[in-house]
Amino acid sequence: MTVTAANDIDSLYNVSSDAVRDTLFGNKTQEKDDSNIFDTFLNAAVHNINDTNIALSNKENEQLKWAMGISENTHDLTIAVGKAEAALNYTVALRDKLLDAYKEIMQIQI
């Protein structure tokens, strides 16, 4: 079975990825993409912080319910604590990586 280079290139026309199509057809959207990269990153960071806050709030609610005797289900409490710890650990690790990247950028000689 032999596949020619023309067949490989022709198959790219059917790809649904915008990046592949833009590269293939020579569309220049770099300036637009550069501004969207920061927006996307910032929105993801804010979404991550909101999710962490929700998980911590749910943990506190489950702890209060259990302490007040409203809920005797320790399973929900354990799940809420686990989710909150995982979300907080992820957020702290992300913050540490961002600070490291910022420090590296600031050390670059111009």
Side-chain angles (χ1 to χ4, degrees), residues 25-94:
F25 296 117
N27 294 340
K28 303 293 183 198
T29 59
Q30 185 65 32
E31 293 174 12
K32 180 182 173 188
D33 290 342
D34 287 343
S35 65
N36 288 336
I37 290 172
F38 183 74
D39 285 343
T40 303
F41 182 75
L42 183 62
N43 289 335
V46 169
H47 183 69
N48 180 34
I49 291 170
N50 289 336
D51 287 346
T52 301
N53 287 337
I54 290 169
L56 290 171
S57 177
N58 290 341
K59 178 188 93 167
E60 289 175 4
N61 290 339
E62 289 297 326
Q63 287 174 334
L64 287 173
K65 286 180 188 177
W66 189 78
M68 293 173 37
I70 296 172
S71 173
E72 295 180 7
N73 188 356
T74 58
H75 182 71
D76 290 339
L77 176 61
T78 305
I79 289 173
V81 168
K83 284 182 179 180
E85 287 178 357
L88 188 59
N89 287 338
Y90 179 76
T91 302
V92 169
L94 184 62

